[in-house]
Amino acid sequence: MPNMKPKIKIKDFNFYYGASQVLKRISMDIQPTHVTAIIGPSGCGKSTLLRCLNRMNDLIPSSRPEGKIEIDGQDINAPSIDVVDLRKRVGMVFQKPNPFPKSIFDNVAYGLRVNGIKDNRLIEKRVEASLKGSALWEEAKDRLKENALNLSGGQQQRLCVARALAIEPEVLLMDEPASALDPIATAKIEELIVELKKKYTIVIVTHNMQQAARISDSTAFLMQGDLVEYGKTSDIFTKPKQKMTEEYITGRFG
Amino acid sequence: MNKRRLKEKLIEWLFFVNGMIAVLVLVGIFILLVRNAFPGFKEVSFWEFLTTSRWNPDAYDKETYGFLAMLASTGMTTIGSLLIAVPLGVGTAAYLSDVASHRVREIAKPLIEILAGIPSVVIGFLGIVLVGPVLAKLTGTYNGLNAINGSILLAVMALPTIVSLSEDALNSVPRSYEEASLALGANKWQTVIKVKIPAAASGIIAACMLGMGRAIGETMTVLMATGNAPDFPQNLLSSVKTMTATIAIELGETAYFSTHFYMLFTVGLVLFIITFFINLISDIIFHKHMKMLK
Ligand SMILES: Nc1ncnc2c1ncn2[C@@H]1O[C@H](COP(=O)(O)OP(=O)(O)OP(=O)(O)O)[C@@H](O)[C@H]1O
Ligand SMILES: [Mg+2]
């Protein structure tokens, strides 16, 4: 793996839903200003792993993490960690665009307001910057007061990216952010991801092999909760070490 | 036709008859009320009923049947109860649906259901022996049997409806809104107040209106706790006599087919119409809400 200091360190990490173990001894280092893709067949635990990084699984009763996930050297499951703080640092974009039924402006401003920012000038500045950051500004600048649900699916997803960017996270998690979008909207999101990695650590779950190959720097291949292979994307896609990886990326199963 | 189809048809038909009976009963009640209300207006002018406030069927010289005092009384106790029950009820629903631990929820929900099952006469009794004396002490009034006492008790009675239906409305908000909010670093309270309550607003409004219907129609509690003075209420500390209490108190002691008798039916008719429309409107709002969420 590259020799930067990792942003996220996952070590011997297990995760359970009730009695069933869905992540098995996962260990991987995630590099800053990198796009890391997680691939694997449906149900292998990609979303679960991603949601462990901002502790979104806390919402699911009787789910249980075990082992260590460190971000900047801090154990994010330690009792001293404030999960609200963690989520400010680790933003998330979901599979289906899920803007609030509020105006475009209020959607982006939401994270700022709940984090106690009251200065309207500052909020306006950040909203504009975030919408520019997610390449939605040109389309949205004249309709900021309009309900976000009036936007197209692709625009909604870019709005969700803007919303996540507004609170200036360090890490951005994306769970199949383009799976509900058409090819043009998908291309825009991909462009955006490549642009965003200059500033953020990005972890993306995707079902789309070409997408992983196009935009990611590292790729992790999961199967039934096991991390089968993890390495540079170019290596994974051209000379995978494991037979299973090769079979998966060449589309022989999954 | 095979047996199963026949059974299905039969059940379908049973439900249809059931529904028709419900509608017929409703229409029947309405007709009964109208027929017993109308003759009263041979003696009393409609205008007097609607625009004056003195309801004095036992007057020595001329009976008066002004309706405004009891309308104001009902309005006052109802609005008072909503001022208490809506914030408390919606707050409780928000807490239970989004903030409370699983354990707290498991304990609180049956308790609220029990609250709904307490007979109104028991609540009225508490109004006399508990709320009344406390109010009397706090406000320096004689016995604390007044509008605000009624409001407090009605709030207690409307609360279960408001809490459980608001909670249903909050739970029907798509999970994705909640996740989006939490992922942006909002805490649970912020999430429920800023995202879930607005998204569930129509369902919550419907819940509150049903609670309101309950408060308007409630009889025994207000009869026991509000002092039943027939005058136009001056403020929340006035003793009041609501529409329901008037009917309950007076119908038993009036002669059948007297003007007084007919006018009490008129009050009943107005009550019927008010509650009918409240229920109708809350139903429409609720269905809009459900459709919007789909
Ligand atoms: N809330 C839950 N409770 C119990 N089991 C769950 C829950 N969520 C997911 N699972 C199970 O955990 C396993 C991993 O699920 P996960 O959603 O992480 O898979 P995934 O790799 O993201 O799949 P997909 O590609 O279909 O999104 C699956 O077997 C799934 O059935
Ligand atoms: Mg998934």
Side-chain angles (χ1 to χ4, degrees):
Chain A
M1 287 307 299
N3 36 24
M4 275 177 279
K5 192 165 173 281
K7 179 78 183 170
I8 304 173
K9 255 177 116 59
I10 303 172
K11 253 185 87 191
D12 288 333
F13 187 76
N14 299 313
F15 193 84
Y16 304 83
Y17 289 118
S20 78
Q21 183 172 9
V22 291
L23 293 178
K24 298 168 192 160
R25 291 190 63 111
I26 307 277
S27 292
M28 61 191 275
D29 290 353
I30 293 170
Q31 304 301 326
T33 62
H34 242 58
V35 175
T36 303
I38 303 175
I39 60 171
S42 187
C44 68
K46 304 180 296 292
S47 299
T48 303
L49 179 58
L50 199 69
R51 291 161 61 92
C52 284
L53 300 179
N54 67 344
R55 286 184 48 189
M56 218 52 194
N57 288 324
D58 284 16
L59 298 182
I60 296 164
S62 84
S63 69
R64 182 165 58 89
E66 201 179 78
K68 244 195 189 143
I69 297 182
E70 288 178 354
I71 296 184
D72 291 334
Q74 258 182 332
D75 179 0
I76 64 167
N77 290 302
S80 62
I81 290 286
D82 178 3
V83 64
V84 167
D85 257 2
L86 171 71
R87 290 179 186 147
K88 283 175 204 166
R89 293 170 52 203
V90 184
M92 185 167 222
V93 175
F94 297 81
Q95 176 167 3
K96 259 179 60 193
N98 58 352
F100 302 122
K102 301 173 184 287
S103 72
I104 295 173
F105 185 91
D106 286 343
N107 261 279
V108 186
Y110 182 85
L112 301 169
R113 289 183 176 138
V114 297
N115 286 311
I117 298 179
K118 295 211 172 65
D119 179 355
N120 277 327
R121 286 242 301 286
L122 178 62
I123 292 178
E124 276 168 30
K125 250 174 58 191
R126 289 261 206 111
V127 168
E128 179 173 341
S130 310
L131 286 168
K132 281 180 175 158
S134 76
L136 190 61
W137 177 249
E138 284 309 315
E139 289 147 87
K141 67 175 186 232
D142 298 321
R143 44 197 295 208
L144 294 175
K145 296 240 149 57
E146 231 179 88
N147 194 311
L149 300 179
N150 293 344
L151 295 172
S152 73
Q155 290 172 328
Q156 285 188 14
Q157 195 62 307
R158 276 179 283 144
L159 178 64
C160 292
V161 175
R163 187 171 67 177
L165 295 182
I167 51 174
E168 301 183 335
E170 299 152 28
V171 180
L172 198 57
L173 310 174
M174 305 177 127
D175 194 348
E176 302 184 48
S179 70
L181 307 181
D182 65 43
I184 293 172
T186 301
K188 279 208 170 135
I189 291 279
E190 287 184 9
E191 251 172 62
L192 179 58
I193 291 168
V194 174
E195 184 60 32
L196 290 174
K197 81 166 179 184
K198 292 177 190 156
K199 278 174 68 186
Y200 304 90
T201 305
I202 295 177
V203 186
I204 178 173
V205 167
T206 177
H207 261 127
N208 181 330
M209 294 307 113
Q210 286 86 31
Q211 184 172 71
R214 274 195 302 267
I215 63 173
S216 71
D217 303 292
S218 310
T219 297
F221 171 52
L222 277 186
M223 219 173 96
Q224 293 179 354
D226 283 312
L227 180 61
V228 177
E229 191 166 350
Y230 177 45
K232 271 169 73 175
T233 299
S234 51
D235 292 346
I236 296 268
F237 280 88
T238 54
K239 40 181 197 272
K241 292 195 187 72
Q242 305 288 333
K243 196 149 179 300
M244 244 168 352
T245 314
E246 187 186 344
E247 285 179 356
Y248 181 72
I249 58 178
T250 53
R252 244 167 289 166
F253 70 91
Chain B
M1 198 159 32
N2 63 30
K3 241 175 153 178
R4 228 191 72 215
R5 288 254 334 148
L6 195 73
K7 209 167 125 190
E8 273 170 16
K9 269 264 173 282
L10 203 72
I11 289 172
E12 208 175 278
W13 184 80
L14 258 170
F15 276 110
F16 175 75
V17 170
N18 228 326
M20 285 319 285
I21 289 176
V23 172
L24 281 179
V25 168
L26 199 71
V27 173
I29 290 175
F30 184 72
I31 292 173
L32 185 91
L33 286 173
V34 170
R35 286 191 45 167
N36 281 301
F38 257 84
F41 292 105
K42 279 185 215 143
E43 306 281 328
V44 182
S45 88
F46 195 60
W47 191 244
E48 177 195 333
F49 177 74
L50 277 186
T51 60
T52 67
S53 62
R54 189 134 190 82
W55 179 271
N56 189 359
D58 304 321
Y60 180 69
D61 44 357
K62 187 177 180 324
E63 307 163 20
T64 55
Y65 293 100
F67 161 73
L68 285 188
M70 65 175 95
L71 182 68
S73 301
T74 293
M76 203 174 235
T77 49
T78 304
I79 291 170
S81 74
L82 288 177
L83 287 180
I84 302 166
V86 168
L88 205 60
V90 176
T92 306
Y95 172 73
L96 287 179
S97 76
D98 287 77
V99 184
S101 69
H102 193 67
R103 277 260 318 271
V104 171
R105 204 172 315 160
E106 292 299 289
I107 296 167
K109 284 184 94 166
L111 280 181
I112 288 168
E113 269 151 39
I114 290 172
L115 190 62
I118 297 177
S120 49
V121 67
V122 174
I123 295 196
F125 179 72
L126 290 178
I128 293 172
V129 301
L130 185 71
V131 181
V134 171
L135 279 177
K137 203 164 235 153
L138 286 178
T139 61
T141 45
Y142 167 56
N143 59 7
L145 297 183
N146 49 29
I148 199 164
N149 191 336
S151 292
I152 291 169
L153 301 184
L154 288 178
V156 170
M157 301 189 70
L159 215 47
T161 309
I162 295 179
V163 171
S164 65
L165 291 179
S166 297
E167 210 199 329
D168 288 349
L170 286 171
N171 285 332
S172 70
V173 172
R175 177 70 168 266
S176 62
Y177 291 165
E178 184 181 351
E179 290 193 334
S181 171
L182 292 172
L184 289 167
N187 62 35
K188 289 173 173 177
W189 275 114
Q190 289 169 326
T191 300
V192 69
I193 290 169
K194 294 189 171 213
V195 174
K196 290 188 77 176
I197 289 180
S202 44
I204 290 171
I205 290 169
C208 295
M209 287 191 69
L210 278 179
M212 180 174 163
R214 179 115 170 75
I216 289 178
E218 177 50 40
T219 307
M220 185 51 81
T221 324
V222 283
L223 190 157
M224 291 169 78
T226 58
N228 300 314
D231 307 320
F232 197 93
Q234 299 303 310
N235 55 46
L236 276 173
L237 293 176
S238 306
S239 163
V240 296
K241 190 174 185 181
T242 64
M243 294 161 69
T244 49
T246 305
I247 298 174
I249 292 168
E250 296 178 8
L251 195 59
E253 21 183 85
T254 185
Y256 267 51
F257 313 119
S258 63
T259 302
H260 186 195
F261 177 88
Y262 293 134
M263 290 315 289
L264 288 173
F265 267 90
T266 307
V267 175
L269 179 64
V270 174
L271 208 50
F272 180 89
I273 294 171
I274 293 174
T275 44
F276 180 81
F277 275 103
I278 286 175
N279 284 329
L280 187 73
I281 292 169
S282 56
D283 215 56
I284 292 171
I285 295 175
F286 194 75
H287 279 103
K288 267 228 179 93
H289 167 73
M290 282 309 179
K291 230 169 71 196
M292 191 201 73
L293 288 178
K294 277 207 198 107

